[in-house]
Amino acid sequence: MDFFIDPIGKLINEFSKLPGVGQKTAQRYAYRIVSMSEAEAKEFADAVVDCKKRVKYCKICGNFTEEEICDICSSGRPRSTICVVKEPKDVIAMEKMREYRGVYHVLHGVLSPLEGIGPDDIRVKELLNRVNEGGVDEVIMATNPDVEGDATAMYISRLLTPLGVKVTRLAHGMPVGGEIEYTDEVTLAQALKDRKPI
Amino acid sequence: MDFFIDPIGKLINEFSKLPGVGQKTAQRYAYRIVSMSEAEAKEFADAVVDCKKRVKYCKICGNFTEEEICDICSSGRPRSTICVVKEPKDVIAMEKMREYRGVYHVLHGVLSPLEGIGPDDIRVKELLNRVNEGGVDEVIMATNPDVEGDATAMYISRLLTPLGVKVTRLAHGMPVGGEIEYTDEVTLAQALKDRKPI
């Protein structure tokens, strides 16, 4: 870092903390900040602090919110269907599709024995409480289709099924617009197994 | 942007202003900020403001500095050789190679008729003044080896040669169309060694 004067070196160091940002990219970002007007840089910095200060997690579902309760939970959407996701950003992905009209539950993580993340480290208890309060017909497990996401979905379904609630999982299959040639064997096998009448 | 609550949307917008950052990348960065501690986010924001506030340009050479005069100009390095570059970041690239011991002159741009950038828009006059003050034996043109960089080097060499100063150009040991900032040290060292009169 000794080629950079102190304030630039520090900023490069901060930018390096962002996901996927290495030294070179952090340098480019820092140079961009230097070439901004003072007002622009201030606006940038304020957005960072503001975001951290104003963004909280919904007391009910764990989604991003500025209030106690998020927009989705406080809307009139039916609470009989809960879609369970790993992160708040997954809620945004689901909402962008504009097909789902139920509510969410954000786990803030998935079970990972290797990383020492157990059921008490993610929001499983909160989900059980919501189901126990009644009025829930279906819980859709929308964790990622990987080992940890699958294990988490399986674990939660075993807890919820005895409570008389239907637990479902997002379908596995070929991505729309994908090509058979480039689809991995496991996905293709799943797509074949779950084939449907046309 | 309507899927994001206001402070996240704003921060995504700010991150999108960084070079090469699109919507998806800006989202990832914003999520990272949200998951930081408040102290970390504060530190990040402070580094941005601080960098913009503390970084100035050297009165002599135009390089980044926190003082009136940059570290290189105020060091005892011989002023008889001036290396002319486009941007302050190019000074850092040159310094990293650890081969050059003269001083610099940062143009803060290159001639570009298409973008309406003429000699008065970049620090050409300041370079002429430095040469006119005397004591300069050689000016090394280290603008990027592209059309605008070559044209700028040619223009400046025509101004300086009548003043009895030797004007050289970094050798084309570097890939044509490349950028000084991203050239590895070995190639850059070779290009410096093979510099030729224009």
Side-chain angles (χ1 to χ4, degrees):
Chain A
M1 263 336 186
D2 62 319
F3 294 106
F4 300 101
I5 59 175
D6 182 55
I8 297 183
K10 265 190 192 148
L11 184 56
I12 289 172
N13 187 34
E14 290 296 328
F15 275 127
S16 307
K17 293 177 184 170
L18 296 176
V21 176
Q23 175 75 7
K24 280 273 172 187
T25 306
Q27 277 176 42
R28 290 181 66 207
Y29 292 172
Y31 296 143
R32 180 71 189 85
I33 296 291
V34 172
S35 71
M36 281 180 175
S37 75
E38 205 148 324
E40 281 177 305
K42 180 77 168 47
E43 207 175 323
F44 191 104
D46 284 349
V48 171
V49 170
D50 214 46
C51 188
K52 182 59 210 166
K53 203 173 282 175
R54 283 167 61 190
V55 175
K56 291 176 290 193
Y57 299 110
C58 174
K59 289 266 193 266
I60 298 174
C61 74
N63 187 19
F64 290 141
T65 179
E66 288 189 75
E67 319 294 334
E68 288 280 285
I69 308 300
C70 77
D71 286 350
I72 295 172
C73 284
S74 57
S75 74
R77 282 161 68 159
R79 291 161 175 253
S80 52
T81 307
I82 298 178
C83 176
V84 177
V85 295
K86 180 184 176 190
E87 310 268 12
K89 58 189 173 190
D90 298 326
V91 172
I92 292 165
M94 291 291 291
E95 287 296 291
K96 276 187 176 167
M97 141 183 87
R98 297 177 191 274
E99 290 282 334
Y100 178 68
R101 303 318 295 166
V103 293
Y104 292 91
H105 189 86
V106 184
L107 292 172
H108 286 278
V110 282
L111 299 178
S112 173
L114 279 175
E115 292 176 40
I117 299 172
D120 292 342
D121 302 311
I122 61 177
R123 298 177 71 255
V124 171
K125 205 176 64 210
E126 289 85 344
L127 177 62
L128 282 178
N129 289 344
R130 287 176 75 181
V131 172
N132 276 325
E133 279 167 14
V136 179
D137 299 330
E138 180 177 357
V139 170
I140 303 171
M141 293 304 307
T143 50
N144 290 332
D146 53 22
V147 175
E148 295 174 348
D150 284 343
T152 306
M154 190 60 69
Y155 175 83
I156 288 176
S157 87
R158 282 189 189 151
L159 290 178
L160 294 182
T161 310
L163 304 178
V165 66
K166 189 166 103 188
V167 183
T168 57
R169 182 99 174 93
L170 288 190
H172 289 303
M174 292 194 47
V176 176
E179 294 186 50
I180 299 224
E181 184 186 359
Y182 300 117
T183 306
D184 66 280
E185 294 88 334
V186 184
T187 304
L188 209 50
Q190 197 68 41
L192 180 69
K193 192 170 139 249
D194 292 347
R195 67 188 183 274
K196 289 173 187 168
I198 301 181
Chain B
M1 257 348 182
D2 61 318
F3 294 106
F4 301 101
I5 59 175
D6 182 54
I8 298 182
K10 265 189 193 149
L11 185 55
I12 289 172
N13 187 35
E14 290 297 328
F15 275 126
S16 308
K17 293 176 184 171
L18 296 175
V21 175
Q23 175 74 6
K24 281 270 171 190
T25 305
Q27 277 176 42
R28 290 181 66 206
Y29 293 171
Y31 295 143
R32 179 72 190 84
I33 296 290
V34 173
S35 71
M36 281 180 174
S37 75
E38 204 147 325
E40 281 177 306
K42 179 80 168 46
E43 207 174 324
F44 192 105
D46 285 349
V48 171
V49 171
D50 214 45
C51 188
K52 184 58 211 168
K53 203 173 283 176
R54 284 168 60 189
V55 176
K56 291 176 289 193
Y57 299 110
C58 174
K59 291 263 193 267
I60 298 174
C61 74
N63 186 21
F64 290 142
T65 179
E66 290 189 75
E67 318 295 332
E68 288 280 286
I69 307 299
C70 77
D71 287 351
I72 295 171
C73 284
S74 58
S75 75
R77 281 159 71 158
R79 291 162 176 254
S80 52
T81 308
I82 299 179
C83 176
V84 177
V85 296
K86 180 185 175 188
E87 310 268 13
K89 59 189 173 189
D90 299 326
V91 173
I92 292 166
M94 291 290 292
E95 286 297 290
K96 276 188 176 166
M97 130 183 98
R98 296 174 190 277
E99 290 282 333
Y100 178 69
R101 303 316 296 165
V103 292
Y104 293 91
H105 190 85
V106 184
L107 293 173
H108 286 278
V110 281
L111 299 179
S112 174
L114 278 175
E115 293 177 39
I117 299 171
D120 292 341
D121 302 310
I122 62 178
R123 298 178 71 253
V124 171
K125 204 176 64 211
E126 288 86 344
L127 177 62
L128 281 178
N129 289 345
R130 286 176 76 180
V131 172
N132 275 325
E133 279 167 15
V136 180
D137 299 329
E138 178 179 357
V139 170
I140 302 170
M141 292 304 307
T143 48
N144 290 331
D146 52 22
V147 175
E148 295 174 348
D150 284 342
T152 306
M154 191 59 68
Y155 174 84
I156 289 176
S157 87
R158 282 187 190 152
L159 290 179
L160 295 181
T161 310
L163 304 178
V165 65
K166 186 166 104 188
V167 183
T168 56
R169 181 97 174 95
L170 287 190
H172 274 282
M174 1 187 344
V176 175
E179 295 195 31
I180 297 222
E181 183 189 357
Y182 298 116
T183 305
D184 66 282
E185 290 88 336
V186 182
T187 307
L188 209 50
Q190 193 64 42
L192 179 73
K193 190 172 139 255
D194 289 348
R195 67 187 187 272
K196 291 170 188 171
I198 299 185

